[in-house]
Amino acid sequence: MRFRLTTMSVLLLTLVLATGVAGAAEECRRLTISDTAPVDRIEIDPLVDQKGNGKKFTGNATLYLDDASEIALTAVRTLIKPTGNWKFTLKSLGSSAPKAMILVETNGDQTQVLKLKLLLKLDPMVSQKDPSKGTIGGCPQGGDGAIEFVEVPTPTTDLERRSVLASPSVDVDGKSHTIDFETILRSGEQRGTGIFGLLYNKMGEPLQQADGSLVISNDNDHSTLLDVHGKLFMMSQFESRPAAFYLTEMHQNADSGKLTALSTKPVDFSAVEGGWVHCAGSRTPWRTHLGSEEYEPDARYVDPVTGLRDGENENGYYRAMARYFGNTPDGEDPTRCNPYDYGYVVEATVTGPDMGIGTFAANVDVQKHYCMGRLAVELAYVMPDEKTAYITDDGTMVGLFKFVADQAGDLSSGSLFAAKLTQTSATNGGRFDIDWILLGSASDAEIRNLINTGGAGGGKITFADIFDATNAVKNPDGTYSAPAGYTGISHGHEAQGDGTFNECLDLQPGMEKAAAFLETRRYAALLGATMEFRKEEGVTFDPVNQKFYIAMSEVSKGMLANADGARSKTEAFSTDDIRVPQNNAGAVYVCDVDASYSLVNMTGLVVGNPNPTGPDYAAGGKYAGNAHDVNAISNPDNVTCIPGYDILIIGEDTGSGHQNDAIWSLDLKTLELTRIQTTPYGSETTSPYFYPNINGWGYMMSVIQHPYGESDSDKVGPGSAERNAYTGYVGPFPALD
């Protein structure tokens, strides 16, 4: 249901009603409310009651006022009680009362937008969906399906906090279905000849610890289901250094939908110098796996001669990649590491039905898309046009990027853009208009050649070939400034050598293309793009409602107003495009797209509550150990939607916010959250991803990374099998397309 608020003294609102009887006429009808109407009584226009029976229904509604221009606030101010509750009258069609939502927005010519969200008690006939028409009460809306999960309670006992809890059933279009979390593989398990999560070096040898034991990753992350070549495969990635992809051949029970792993093999990355920190992923419209390389190594601080990063010891974050060029700690070779080999979108294509008999899967082609930019890639997501892709950048002082391929279904060449935000509201996480700055156009082959031969004398390119860089000057008054000949920028994903996010650069002559694709964030900052996001995570697109969603794990640091100005260690040189209140529990944003699938704005949709109160959160309380409200999102990480059902799935990556990470179902009509899964102590819910129909069944992939790893590590022993990560799914669902 949707109301439109005008800025006239009389508010004209559209009220949706329907008979709910098959074949009966349905129509949108107008409700007129005077801005001087009594708070507790709002009269319905006679047009609503076309039968003239005069019956009325009185219910309660809770008002959530997200944002408004002053003129709109004036128009509705008299309708709001101090408590935020008010009554309205509505034609009565029955006695039962499900929930629905009304949205009120100002006209599009207003510089600010009013969103008036009401959780209403309505007759079921009013809110009934007609699947044949895809409408609610006869007025065009989003999805035409109805889905409701049985909620999982917040874990409060030690046993619950050690367990994987998932919704036991789901109601789809009025019919109940049994579901659960089903494990496909845990790290270290063997299927066929492969050990899931075992890491390998470039020579094809398994990595070993100093004591000779095998190195098995518990950092399982995104897994993609690929129904190709007459089989069902799962492509899984591991967020390690060195990282790994695994291809698993699956069996799908035709009667129950249950998925089991038949055999698994690692994927050979030797042709691209190994994989790095594979974080979230997605499935392309042409059914390939699109992975990522997060937290790209900062080439400015890597010595090209020794291969070592400044200040790192043998256990350093970047140094760990040297293991790819040796099979034991003593055999690693950091001089073979090149920071410009890592930080890209990675596409893996299953080329045939047979994995072969060797150690590595013989039917996988791996391609790093150098032309999509080098970032702390959390996720790349391809839009329905098969050309436009969005790339999120994880960390502090980071940006949002768009890639437009030259040819549909082919990401090997195209143009790269960075977002420039203009803030129009600071409420509920903020609202922003988005413009796009072109960084450059290139192909994978062109950028790979720059990496190999773009340096001095035709050698491998180094940071010094692209930029002359120095730290910002800290003046006696505490301000930061750039030396003569340099341009000051503020960017991430991590702090510079002086502990600030401020840096001064001079672009070397003719190095624009190298800067755009190898130092993407730095170059975007030089061109004026917005580099102020904090912990920008997963994205998804709802093709039915044409909405794009972005998870922001924290709203902090560069996203706050820069009160210190040039004295800021975080953004002394930024244009302070984002100026919203801090929320350490994070937010999820919704974006509109234009006809070319370009994002045009970004608005806070749902936010967490970082400051819960009450005895339940105190020491000894049932929610002790949870710093954030257990009934709200906490540090949202990855998102996926169920198209046609107006459901957004939100996964968390929270440490102390929620002691047990959760996956939520968000009803996009009511903004009501339902907890549908929780994970054990210290684990992370990585990359929930929904598949509406795989051979007649639906699945929500769900990966549980490093149990007891981020917190509560003392609750199990160092070698306990409880630490092994899970790759699995919630389901199976009936086909939902």
Side-chain angles (χ1 to χ4, degrees):
M1 300 178 69
R2 187 174 295 270
F3 285 170
R4 288 290 178 190
L5 173 63
T6 73
T7 58
M8 299 165 56
S9 61
V10 174
L11 309 181
L12 299 180
L13 302 163
T14 301
L15 173 65
V16 181
L17 293 178
T19 64
V21 179
E26 297 182 40
E27 62 179 353
C28 294
R29 307 165 190 174
R30 176 166 290 178
L31 167 65
T32 302
I33 302 175
S34 167
D35 64 354
T36 59
V39 175
D40 61 350
R41 186 168 180 78
I42 300 174
E43 293 291 341
I44 293 179
D45 187 281
L47 289 175
V48 171
D49 191 1
Q50 60 180 9
K51 294 182 179 180
N53 57 22
K55 292 182 180 179
K56 295 176 180 178
F57 169 79
T58 301
N60 294 320
T62 302
L63 182 72
Y64 299 91
L65 189 58
D66 284 349
D67 180 33
S69 61
E70 183 57 34
I71 189 170
L73 279 172
T74 301
V76 299
R77 188 171 286 123
T78 57
L79 300 180
I80 306 171
K81 283 186 175 181
T83 61
N85 295 324
W86 58 292
K87 294 183 179 180
F88 62 97
T89 56
L90 178 65
K91 179 181 176 183
S92 177
L93 296 175
S95 58
S96 58
K99 291 181 178 178
M101 184 183 75
I102 293 177
L103 214 66
V104 182
E105 300 178 349
T106 56
N107 289 340
D109 59 344
Q110 296 298 313
T111 58
Q112 292 184 303
V113 174
L114 169 73
K115 287 188 176 179
L116 193 64
K117 300 171 187 173
L118 309 175
L119 295 181
L120 306 179
K121 296 290 187 178
L122 296 179
D123 183 273
M125 290 184 173
V126 174
S127 60
Q128 185 176 9
K129 302 173 180 66
D130 182 349
S132 68
K133 297 182 179 180
T135 64
I136 300 176
C139 291
Q141 294 292 315
D144 56 7
I147 189 166
E148 185 175 356
F149 291 88
V150 172
E151 185 160 44
V152 174
T154 301
T156 55
T157 68
D158 182 65
L159 178 60
E160 290 172 340
R161 289 170 173 170
R162 292 178 181 272
S163 304
V164 180
L165 306 178
S167 294
S169 66
V170 62
D171 188 275
V172 179
D173 295 327
K175 184 177 180 181
S176 180
H177 301 267
T178 299
I179 58 173
D180 201 352
F181 175 76
E182 300 284 352
T183 301
I184 297 173
L185 282 170
R186 296 190 72 174
S187 53
E189 289 186 340
Q190 183 167 342
R191 293 293 186 276
T193 60
I195 299 175
F196 195 57
L198 176 60
L199 302 182
Y200 286 81
N201 65 14
K202 186 172 182 177
M203 290 72 75
E205 303 163 333
L207 296 188
Q208 300 176 30
Q209 306 284 10
D211 62 3
S213 61
L214 298 176
V215 178
I216 296 173
S217 174
N218 284 321
D219 292 322
N220 312 27
D221 210 292
H222 182 88
S223 286
T224 296
L225 294 179
L226 299 168
D227 45 336
V228 293
H229 305 296
K231 290 186 175 183
L232 180 60
F233 293 96
M234 177 178 72
M235 188 74 72
S236 303
Q237 57 189 41
F238 290 78
E239 196 176 8
S240 308
R241 303 169 319 286
F245 278 15
Y246 267 76
L247 183 67
T248 303
E249 184 176 338
M250 307 292 290
H251 171 72
Q252 183 185 39
N253 187 299
D255 296 324
S256 67
K258 183 178 176 64
L259 300 179
T260 53
L262 299 177
S263 60
T264 192
K265 288 179 180 288
V267 173
D268 186 5
F269 268 69
S270 61
V272 291
E273 303 300 325
W276 166 277
V277 194
H278 300 313
C279 192
S282 64
R283 187 170 87 160
T284 67
W286 51 93
R287 299 190 186 186
T288 60
H289 171 85
L290 204 59
S292 61
E293 292 186 312
E294 190 182 46
Y295 299 143
E296 85 286 7
D298 192 335
R300 179 185 171 191
Y301 296 101
V302 174
D303 187 326
V305 176
T306 66
L308 299 177
R309 174 168 173 153
D310 291 354
E312 271 198 347
N313 59 28
E314 61 183 12
N315 298 315
Y317 194 87
Y318 178 65
R319 175 69 179 269
M321 193 62 203
R323 298 288 304 277
Y324 188 66
F325 303 100
N327 65 350
T328 67
D330 293 335
E332 64 190 27
D333 185 0
T335 66
R336 297 181 65 182
C337 288
N338 180 357
Y340 287 122
D341 285 332
Y342 313 113
Y344 304 100
V345 175
V346 185
E347 185 174 9
T349 303
V350 178
T351 58
D354 188 1
M355 291 198 294
I357 61 174
T359 299
F360 295 94
N363 58 337
V364 179
D365 176 69
V366 173
Q367 187 175 11
K368 289 191 180 183
H369 288 305
Y370 306 105
C371 65
M372 295 180 77
R374 181 171 171 271
L375 307 160
V377 181
E378 168 74 17
L379 174 68
Y381 189 96
V382 180
M383 301 294 274
D385 65 353
E386 301 190 4
K387 294 179 67 176
T388 306
Y390 290 96
I391 307 144
T392 51
D393 187 18
D394 199 349
T396 301
M397 297 296 291
V398 294
L400 174 63
F401 298 86
K402 177 178 73 171
F403 176 79
V404 180
D406 292 334
Q407 301 292 330
D410 181 359
L411 301 176
S412 65
S413 67
S415 299
L416 184 62
F417 301 80
K420 175 68 173 179
L421 273 61
T422 301
Q423 183 168 312
T424 59
S425 169
T427 305
N428 200 48
R431 187 183 190 280
F432 312 88
D433 292 331
I434 301 177
D435 294 300
W436 294 96
I437 297 173
L438 175 65
L439 303 183
S441 302
S443 67
D444 287 339
E446 188 177 3
I447 302 307
R448 183 69 247 185
N449 186 60
L450 272 178
I451 295 171
N452 291 339
T453 65
K460 289 185 177 182
I461 201 166
T462 68
F463 181 83
D465 293 317
I466 304 172
F467 287 116
D468 180 15
T470 187
N471 293 337
V473 175
K474 189 171 184 179
N475 301 309
D477 63 355
T479 61
Y480 291 91
S481 61
Y486 292 85
T487 300
I489 63 170
S490 298
H491 70 95
H493 64 88
E494 58 183 342
Q496 298 302 301
D498 62 353
T500 78
F501 288 85
N502 304 316
E503 185 180 42
C504 302
L505 299 177
D506 181 30
L507 182 65
Q508 302 285 21
M511 282 294 174
E512 290 81 3
K513 182 162 289 189
F517 294 94
L518 299 180
E519 292 291 344
T520 305
R521 193 184 307 104
R522 283 182 164 103
Y523 190 61
L526 278 175
L527 295 188
T530 301
M531 297 294 123
E532 298 171 23
F533 290 117
R534 164 66 177 160
K535 295 295 295 177
E536 182 186 51
E537 305 285 357
V539 299
T540 193
F541 180 66
D542 181 348
V544 176
N545 291 313
Q546 294 286 290
K547 301 290 185 182
F548 189 84
Y549 299 93
I550 303 175
M552 204 73 61
S553 192
E554 289 182 17
V555 178
S556 63
K557 298 191 176 180
M559 298 183 72
L560 310 184
N562 181 9
D564 292 333
R567 291 179 174 81
S568 173
K569 288 185 177 181
T570 302
E571 49 179 329
F573 299 121
S574 82
T575 51
D576 206 22
D577 297 332
I578 306 177
R579 307 170 305 281
V580 297
Q582 184 167 343
N583 187 329
N584 288 334
V588 175
Y589 292 85
V590 59
C591 305
D592 291 314
V593 300
D594 64 15
S596 64
Y597 291 104
S598 186
L599 305 187
V600 297
N601 56 41
M602 175 175 166
T603 304
L605 176 70
V606 60
V607 300
N609 174 15
N611 300 304
T613 58
D616 286 343
Y617 293 91
K622 64 179 180 179
Y623 299 144
N626 292 277
H628 299 163
D629 188 341
V630 298
N631 294 310
I633 61 171
S634 175
N635 307 120
D637 187 32
N638 281 286
V639 291
T640 187
C641 67
I642 306 180
Y645 288 84
D646 291 310
I647 294 294
L648 183 69
I649 303 296
I650 304 171
E652 296 180 342
D653 176 12
T654 177
S656 60
H658 287 166
Q659 190 169 27
N660 297 86
D661 283 18
I663 296 179
W664 301 87
S665 167
L666 175 68
D667 187 321
L668 291 168
K669 291 188 176 69
T670 66
L671 299 185
E672 181 178 359
L673 286 164
T674 301
R675 189 184 303 101
I676 63 175
Q677 186 180 359
T678 62
T679 63
Y681 288 118
S683 60
E684 175 187 338
T685 67
T686 60
S687 293
Y689 202 90
F690 202 86
Y691 296 87
N693 190 347
I694 301 284
N695 301 321
W697 298 94
Y699 303 92
M700 187 191 80
M701 292 301 290
S702 174
V703 180
I704 302 169
Q705 190 181 84
H706 54 60
Y708 304 91
E710 288 186 347
S711 66
D712 301 285
S713 60
D714 59 335
K715 294 190 182 332
V716 295
S720 172
E722 290 186 64
R723 293 184 180 273
N724 296 345
Y726 305 73
T727 293
Y729 63 91
V730 173
F733 299 80
L736 296 178
D737 60 353

